[in-house]
Amino acid sequence: MKKTVLIILLIFSLSSCDVLNQIGGAIQLSQCEYTYNSVTDIQLAGINLGNGSTISLSNFASISSILTGGNLQTIPFSMTLNMDVKNPNQAAAFLNALEYAIEINEMEFTTGKMDVPLRVEPGQTAVLPLSIGVDLKNLINRYSRDRVAREMSGFLGLSSDETKVTVKLWPKLMVGNRPVKVPAPIPVVFTFGGSNP
């Protein structure tokens, strides 16, 4: 009986240490510096825009047509948003997974999750890639075609307007075999698009 109790206590203490370790990693992550790195793999309604820096005149016309009119039932948009995560702390910052929400000029753009672990050693910088997919038609139905076209034009650099991008990150901790989202997000804000991406 004593042996069973000792084993249970040992397992509980190891589990508690692991949870405390993860909490420490998440705290370090919340103290990291987040900056915009790049956007890659941009796709709009089947048009491959790469990183958006070399949009041709024919693509420009197609994109404008997609964003401002047409009878498409869906307007799929996807990309990878890469952010630099710099760890100025004395301990490693890490997470097992996270959830995120993205706003473009206060417009709720998309939510998602990343299930790939991230670890940033002290004094190092790592890239956090967020794979994003959204149906712009849903945004048009929620807001308006004009607003979505304006925000996406700025975001893609088709207009001279800068776009404020707000990313909220909720790291997840593993408690036993269950991921638990931290209650307060890590906010990241940067401008993108226009003449100064």
Side-chain angles (χ1 to χ4, degrees):
M1 180 71 175
K2 284 184 180 179
K3 202 175 204 182
T4 305
V5 171
L6 286 173
I7 290 172
I8 290 171
L9 287 174
L10 180 61
I11 291 170
F12 180 74
S13 66
L14 289 175
S15 174
S16 296
C17 287
D18 184 49
V19 170
L20 289 174
N21 189 32
Q22 289 184 58
I23 291 171
I27 289 171
Q28 299 300 328
L29 200 68
S30 71
Q31 296 172 351
C32 286
E33 299 165 6
Y34 295 80
T35 54
Y36 168 77
N37 176 303
S38 64
V39 172
T40 56
D41 305 320
I42 302 171
Q43 300 273 337
L44 174 63
I47 302 172
N48 182 354
L49 301 175
N51 64 5
S53 64
T54 56
I55 295 176
S56 67
L57 286 176
S58 61
N59 280 347
F60 182 86
S62 298
I63 293 166
S64 297
S65 174
I66 289 167
L67 293 176
T68 58
N71 297 321
L72 296 174
Q73 296 299 312
T74 63
I75 306 174
F77 177 82
S78 63
M79 67 178 180
T80 301
L81 172 62
N82 300 297
M83 292 188 296
D84 287 333
V85 183
K86 182 179 179 182
N87 184 0
N89 306 301
Q90 298 298 314
F94 56 89
L95 55 79
N96 292 310
L98 62 78
E99 291 184 16
Y100 62 83
I102 298 175
E103 296 177 358
I104 296 178
N105 288 340
E106 314 301 326
M107 178 179 74
E108 293 179 11
F109 186 64
T110 190
T111 59
K113 61 183 180 176
M114 185 184 89
D115 293 323
V116 179
L118 175 74
R119 183 179 182 94
V120 189
E121 297 299 333
Q124 300 295 312
T125 300
V127 176
L128 174 64
L130 299 179
S131 294
I132 294 164
V134 64
D135 182 357
L136 297 182
K137 193 73 170 184
N138 290 337
L139 291 178
I140 289 169
N141 293 338
R142 184 173 177 190
Y143 295 100
S144 72
R145 183 175 297 278
D146 288 344
R147 177 158 186 204
V148 173
R150 183 176 64 248
E151 307 302 3
M152 291 305 297
S153 292
F155 184 81
L156 293 171
L158 302 176
S159 74
S160 60
D161 299 330
E162 279 194 342
T163 303
K164 177 183 172 186
V165 178
T166 303
V167 181
K168 296 176 184 175
L169 305 171
W170 287 271
K172 289 184 178 179
L173 309 175
M174 294 301 290
V175 179
N177 292 328
R178 184 177 182 169
V180 177
K181 183 171 79 170
V182 299
I186 299 169
V188 183
V189 179
F190 56 88
T191 57
F192 182 84
S195 56
N196 298 306

